[in-house]
């Protein structure tokens, strides 16, 4: 079994390292357009694996997509990262062209593969990959909600002085500042979050969560990579183990939540075929309005693709 990761930058290399440590597959191909980068990083990862008793083979490849042939999963992390002062939206034109190109090359050699999209702006890049690949939408999954939920749980744990492991949470909508908090669906070991803090206090935590990625960009001068990589591993594991885990992911909606022809974060069941079911929650009017606002923002970016003459 083989997984290909396209992009050997911080996120791609971290994904390769975490996946290899889990010993989930026989081979990981780390592919990049930059000479020697993927080869060097794969060599470093490979020399670590005997110490943690992993038999995964990690190889670095420059440009040669034929080496990705028959991959079970393809993880797309390439594209330009955010820099201080940039929003995810600022990356639309450049990254859409990159995602379109790598999707075309990848699907040629792995026509049955599932795709996990990590590149920003994530919901739009997932849409671009889907339109390019021309496969069932269940096979194109955007990693977003897992990361946003993890950040939310972290900030909640600090506020409440409890372990984030005991917090169950769910966020809907686009990856970014239009994410939709679901206060009613958040709990601590089954205890509703309202027993711990008010909705207004929770909204303050949500605002911190929305800016969680921006805070890291401002501190490091580039996008986060460890938490996003760990989020990808969650999706990969659910698919390979056919575990039927429910995670919030960016997926193609065909009328669910009253939305069509858009990639947006919603809870889904993940299994060996990819997205096996979209879970529709009964939202109240406030939640519906916020989700619609988030969807409109993503749609506006998708519409911008037409101005850039992005063809599929």
């Amino acid at each position: 079994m083989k997984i290909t990761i396209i992009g050997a930058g911080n996120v791609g290399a971290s994904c390769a390292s975490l996946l290899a440590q889990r010993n989930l597959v026989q081979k990981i191909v780390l592919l990049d357009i930059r000479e020697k980068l993927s080869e060097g990083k794969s060599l470093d990862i490979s020399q670590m694996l005997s110490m943690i008793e992993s038999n995964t083979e990690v190889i670095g490849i420059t440009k040669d997509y034929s080496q990705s042939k028959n991959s079970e999963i393809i993880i797309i992390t390439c594209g330009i990262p955010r820099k201080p002062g940039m929003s995810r939206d600022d990356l639309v034109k450049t990254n859409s062209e990159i995602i379109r190109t790598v999707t075309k090359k990848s699907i040629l050699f792995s026509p049955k593969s599932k795709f996990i999209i990590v590149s920003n702006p994530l919901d739009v890049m997932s849409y671009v990959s889907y339109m390019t690949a021309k496969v069932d939408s269940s096979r194109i999954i955007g990693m977003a909600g897992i990361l946003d939920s993890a950040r939310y749980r972290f900030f909640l744990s600090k506020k409440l002085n409890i372990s984030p492991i005991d917090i169950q949470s769910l966020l809907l909508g686009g990856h970014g500042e239009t994410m939709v908090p679901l206060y009613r669906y958040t709990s601590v070991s089954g205890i509703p979050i309202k027993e711990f803090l008010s909705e207004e206090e929770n909204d303050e935590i949500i605002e911190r969560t929305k800016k969680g990625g921006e805070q890291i960009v401002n501190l490091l001068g580039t996008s986060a990579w460890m938490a996003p990589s760990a989020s990808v591993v969650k999706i990969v594991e659910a698919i390979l183990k056919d575990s039927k885990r429910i995670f919030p992911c960016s997926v193609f909606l065909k009328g669910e939540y009253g939305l069509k022809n858009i990639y947006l974060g919603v809870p889904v069941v993940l299994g060996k075929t990819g997205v096996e079911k979209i879970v529709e929650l009964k939202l109240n009017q406030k939640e519906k309005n916020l989700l619609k606002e988030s969807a409109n923002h993503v749609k506006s970016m998708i519409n911008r693709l037409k101005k850039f003459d992005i063809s599929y």
Side-chain angles (χ1 to χ4, degrees):
M1 187 176 291
K2 180 197 294 184
I3 288 177
T4 292
I5 302 169
I6 302 176
N10 288 334
V11 176
S14 295
C15 279
S17 176
L18 290 174
L19 286 169
Q21 290 175 56
R22 299 299 292 271
N23 210 15
L24 290 169
V25 293
Q26 283 129 346
K27 180 180 285 189
I28 296 172
V29 175
L30 186 59
L31 193 153
D32 203 284
I33 61 171
R34 289 167 287 185
E35 297 284 345
K36 301 180 181 180
L37 180 66
S38 58
E39 288 86 347
K41 291 194 175 182
S42 65
L43 186 60
D44 188 23
I45 294 167
S46 298
Q47 292 171 357
M48 167 190 72
L49 297 180
S50 65
M51 292 183 279
I52 56 175
E53 300 182 356
S54 171
N55 290 311
T56 300
E57 179 186 9
V58 183
I59 62 171
I61 301 294
T62 301
K63 297 181 183 178
D64 184 6
Y65 279 78
S66 67
Q67 297 296 317
S68 69
K69 187 176 181 179
N70 295 329
S71 292
E72 183 77 14
I73 297 173
I74 292 174
I75 302 165
I76 298 180
T77 72
C78 54
I80 59 170
R82 280 201 293 167
K83 292 181 172 58
M86 294 177 69
S87 71
R88 293 180 179 89
D89 301 3
D90 294 330
L91 309 175
V92 172
K93 186 178 187 298
T94 300
N95 283 355
S96 59
E97 292 171 344
I98 293 170
I99 300 309
R100 180 173 59 100
T101 299
V102 301
T103 299
K104 278 185 176 181
K105 291 181 178 180
S106 300
I107 201 71
L108 179 66
F109 291 102
S110 302
K112 296 182 179 179
S113 181
K114 274 76 69 177
F115 286 73
I116 300 173
I117 312 303
V118 188
S119 310
N120 278 317
L122 188 135
D123 305 284
V124 181
M125 295 305 106
S126 300
Y127 178 86
V128 169
S129 185
Y130 166 62
M131 294 295 290
T132 304
K134 296 179 172 60
V135 299
D136 192 275
S137 59
S138 64
R139 292 166 52 191
I140 312 289
I141 305 164
M143 181 290 301
I146 297 175
L147 172 60
D148 292 332
S149 293
R151 286 173 172 164
Y152 176 42
R153 290 163 60 198
F154 169 75
F155 289 126
L156 271 176
S157 73
K158 292 303 179 184
K159 173 74 174 179
L160 302 176
N161 195 29
I162 58 174
S163 169
I165 298 172
D166 291 331
I167 300 173
Q168 297 78 43
S169 67
L170 189 60
L171 298 171
L172 304 184
H175 180 47
E177 299 213 357
T178 63
M179 67 177 69
V180 180
L182 292 183
Y183 178 71
R184 296 185 302 121
Y185 289 95
T186 302
S187 62
V188 180
S189 293
I191 305 169
I193 196 66
K194 67 180 180 180
E195 299 293 332
F196 295 88
L197 75 175
S198 68
E199 189 165 4
E200 289 73 23
E201 290 174 311
N202 186 70
D203 285 343
E204 293 178 8
I205 302 295
I206 290 297
E207 289 306 310
R208 290 194 67 188
T209 304
K210 289 178 178 180
K211 297 184 182 299
E214 180 182 344
Q215 183 181 10
I216 291 173
V217 170
N218 290 335
L219 288 168
L220 297 179
T222 190
S223 298
W225 63 87
M226 291 305 300
S229 300
S231 302
V232 171
V233 172
K234 286 282 190 183
I235 299 174
V236 170
E237 195 167 34
I239 293 172
L240 296 183
K241 294 185 176 180
D242 192 26
S243 60
K244 316 299 184 187
R245 296 288 305 274
I246 296 179
F247 290 124
C249 297
S250 184
V251 297
F252 190 69
L253 300 180
K254 303 174 183 177
E256 297 89 353
Y257 293 93
L259 299 167
K260 292 182 179 180
N261 197 35
I262 186 176
Y263 262 80
L264 205 64
V266 295
V268 299
V269 178
L270 294 178
K272 63 181 178 181
T273 61
V275 178
E276 300 200 344
K277 181 182 179 181
I278 294 175
V279 180
E280 284 198 75
L281 304 173
K282 293 182 180 179
L283 303 181
N284 61 32
Q285 195 57 51
K286 177 183 177 181
E287 293 160 346
K288 287 178 181 177
N289 291 341
L290 288 172
L291 187 60
K292 185 177 181 180
E293 180 182 328
S294 183
N296 287 339
H297 178 73
V298 173
K299 283 182 178 179
S300 69
M301 286 194 289
I302 290 174
N303 290 334
R304 285 173 61 187
L305 296 175
K306 299 175 183 177
K307 299 179 181 178
F308 303 142
D309 194 28
I310 300 296
S311 60
Y312 306 104

